[in-house]
Amino acid sequence: IEPRNTDNFDYAQYHTLDEINAFMDMLVAENPNLVTKLRIGSSYEQRPLYVLKFSSGPNRPGFWIDTGIHSREWVTQAAGIWFAKKIVIDYGRNQAFTAILNKMDILLEIVTNPDGYHYTHTTNRMWRKTRKPNPGSSCVGVDPNRNWDAGFGGPGASSNPCMETYRGPSAHSESEVKSIVDYVKSHGNIKGFISIHSYSQMLMYPYGYTKTPVPNQPELHDLARRAIANLASLYGTKYTYGSIITTIYQASGGTIDWTYDQGIKYSYTFELRDTGRYGFLLPANQIIPTAQETWLGLMTIMQHTKDNLY
Amino acid sequence: LKAFEGDKVLRILAKNEDQISLLQDLTEMDQLQLDIWKEPTHPTLPVDIHVPFESLQSVKAFLEANEIEHYIMINDLQALIDEERHEMQSTRF
């Protein structure tokens, strides 16, 4: 039994790739003046890479959000679906959010690694990487969060194709990554970029590949502090925050290091809920609370970006 | 469909940098086929490791020999995956 519209969609459940694609089509059909579905490329297995563009007018700066670059982190794709619906509900109803979308487009990639996501549903629930074979190795896939041209090949990524943090043969070798790179470059006016992962309850800004602080560290640090305070105001979920390298570990070739180096000042990565009980298998009844609290953190960052366009 | 029967996920709480270093050695033991969910980085952060059933004894022995605090976060990974799958299927109908 398939939902006939996005009001009937079950946001408190995990969904297959086909169901998520159907959801996106329904959302676009229901909101033709607000939402468009862009195809920014194809995955290794030729699945389309879709971005939902929420726009209330032409020629706006963009604010990027992606979920699901690591396929087994199912709560992130599920949260992305919830964000998409939240955006169409709140636009025109919530004053603060309406002001944001009246000034910036939101670009939301719900399933950033569709091959991996499909694989988690059909073959291996614990799959994290892409699904491209590695010549000369029986091990498959690249960690798409080590494949960016930002300290690529440095410490904090593996050169071994059998490791979960395998960086790939070269920067942007993965079409899932290259498609975003090409889109971000061609757009040319993205002002905020948030990449969402699970699980650790962290909000981090660049860098991961070097201990050198980013020039905007004081502003990014203070904004992160405010974002996690807002996030915690709903259910009391405690987050830590800081630069990637000081908060968690050295990681080269990461997404937001590249976006920051491209001039996108408000670059952050979220690590969603860690209950200490389920890891990547967060029960579906926690999808909505997780998405709700994350949205508050996102709102803080989006508002600040809107108020401080550069 | 890959099965994870009897696999456990351990949450490991290192006390100091020495224990972190030992855990880093553990994660590099390829023969154990560990899936590191959270890497050992510093003592303030927990380390989560998915341990295949076949490696459980070795990992437990390593942790106990080095007096590294740990507990079972997920007792049977496959059971949790089955539960998740069952819930997805049942709500669909």
Side-chain angles (χ1 to χ4, degrees), chain A residues 1 10 12-16 19 72 74 119-126 146 160 163-165 199-202 240 245-249 274-285, chain B residues 1-4 9 11 27-28 30 34-42 44-50 71-78 80-81 83-85 87-93:
Chain A
I1 300 169
D10 191 351
Q13 278 303 326
Y14 293 114
H15 294 276
T16 63
E19 289 167 348
R72 65 185 175 183
W74 277 14
Y119 199 69
T120 62
H121 280 270
T122 55
T123 309
N124 181 349
R125 173 64 182 85
M126 289 299 123
R146 299 289 187 282
N160 178 351
M163 299 298 286
E164 295 289 3
T165 55
Y199 59 105
S200 288
Q201 293 181 192
M202 293 173 176
T240 52
I245 197 166
T246 58
T247 307
I248 182 163
Y249 47 55
D274 172 12
T275 63
R277 295 182 64 188
Y278 304 105
F280 299 114
L281 294 155
L282 193 70
N285 64 13
Chain B
L1 195 66
K2 186 170 167 56
F4 300 93
V9 180
R11 173 154 284 197
T27 62
E28 283 165 16
D30 290 346
L34 305 178
D35 177 12
I36 313 305
W37 286 16
K38 284 190 178 184
E39 291 184 33
T41 52
H42 43 86
T44 55
L45 297 173
V47 178
D48 293 346
I49 302 181
H50 162 201
Y71 65 89
I72 296 169
M73 183 167 86
I74 297 174
N75 189 45
D76 183 345
L77 185 60
Q78 188 58 45
L80 207 54
I81 291 171
E83 201 176 305
E84 183 182 69
R85 182 169 290 270
E87 195 183 337
M88 277 182 75
Q89 286 170 345
S90 60
T91 52
R92 202 163 283 138
F93 295 103

Side-chain angles (χ1 to χ4, degrees), chain A:
Chain A
I1 300 169
E2 293 179 4
R4 283 170 297 181
N5 59 56
T6 62
D7 292 330
N8 293 339
F9 192 84
D10 191 351
Y11 296 90
Q13 278 303 326
Y14 293 114
H15 294 276
T16 63
L17 186 59
D18 287 345
E19 289 167 348
I20 295 174
N21 285 334
F23 164 83
M24 288 195 279
D25 288 339
M26 286 189 291
L27 196 75
V28 171
E30 292 165 10
N31 303 276
N33 297 322
L34 187 65
V35 193
T36 48
K37 189 176 80 172
L38 312 175
R39 181 172 179 171
I40 63 166
S42 303
S43 66
Y44 170 74
E45 292 175 342
Q46 296 305 309
R47 292 188 174 85
L49 299 169
Y50 291 129
V51 171
L52 290 178
K53 179 180 178 182
F54 301 86
S55 181
S56 63
N59 304 317
R60 302 267 171 84
F63 190 97
W64 174 281
I65 301 168
D66 66 73
T67 50
I69 199 168
H70 287 149
S71 48
R72 65 185 175 183
E73 299 170 5
W74 277 14
V75 72
T76 68
Q77 294 93 344
I81 295 168
W82 189 91
F83 298 153
K85 182 65 175 173
K86 178 72 172 164
I87 290 168
V88 301
I89 291 172
D90 277 8
Y91 182 66
R93 296 185 181 88
N94 177 297
Q95 196 178 350
F97 180 71
T98 303
I100 290 168
L101 204 53
N102 279 340
K103 207 161 175 184
M104 302 188 297
D105 296 341
I106 295 176
L107 303 152
L108 174 62
E109 187 174 10
I110 295 175
V111 188
T112 308
N113 175 7
D115 295 349
Y117 189 66
H118 180 70
Y119 199 69
T120 62
H121 280 270
T122 55
T123 309
N124 181 349
R125 173 64 182 85
M126 289 299 123
W127 192 259
R128 161 189 168 100
K129 300 189 283 183
T130 62
R131 287 297 304 161
K132 191 161 85 173
N134 294 302
S137 171
S138 58
C139 296
V140 171
V142 168
D143 181 347
N145 196 31
R146 299 289 187 282
N147 188 240
W148 301 72
D149 192 9
F152 179 83
S158 177
S159 58
N160 178 351
C162 296
M163 299 298 286
E164 295 289 3
T165 55
Y166 176 50
R167 67 190 183 215
S170 59
H172 307 166
S173 60
E174 301 308 284
S175 61
E176 295 82 358
V177 171
K178 182 69 162 56
S179 299
I180 300 174
V181 166
D182 291 345
Y183 181 76
V184 166
K185 285 183 170 175
S186 67
H187 187 288
N189 198 21
I190 292 178
K191 300 299 188 187
F193 192 110
I194 298 190
S195 191
I196 300 185
H197 293 248
S198 77
Y199 59 105
S200 288
Q201 293 181 192
M202 293 173 176
L203 175 58
M204 294 173 286
Y205 51 80
Y207 286 118
Y209 73 88
T210 174
K211 283 184 177 163
T212 305
V214 291
N216 306 103
Q217 171 141 351
E219 182 185 1
L220 296 184
H221 195 76
D222 185 62
L223 179 55
R225 179 187 59 75
R226 290 193 288 118
I228 66 160
N230 200 16
L231 183 156
S233 68
L234 192 59
Y235 297 113
T237 308
K238 297 272 190 295
Y239 269 56
T240 52
Y241 64 103
S243 70
I244 295 169
I245 197 166
T246 58
T247 307
I248 182 163
Y249 47 55
Q250 185 166 24
S252 60
T255 311
I256 63 162
D257 286 359
W258 181 82
T259 59
Y260 185 86
D261 283 347
Q262 292 297 303
I264 303 175
K265 178 162 69 165
Y266 300 112
S267 289
Y268 285 94
T269 182
F270 264 102
E271 290 271 357
L272 305 187
R273 276 191 186 193
D274 172 12
T275 63
R277 295 182 64 188
Y278 304 105
F280 299 114
L281 294 155
L282 193 70
N285 64 13
Q286 294 204 29
I287 293 170
I288 293 175
T290 302
Q292 286 172 324
E293 66 186 9
T294 307
W295 182 251
L296 296 182
L298 289 174
M299 277 292 291
T300 301
I301 298 170
M302 287 192 292
Q303 272 182 310
H304 183 87
T305 305
K306 184 256 298 177
D307 293 338
N308 295 275
L309 288 173
Y310 50 94

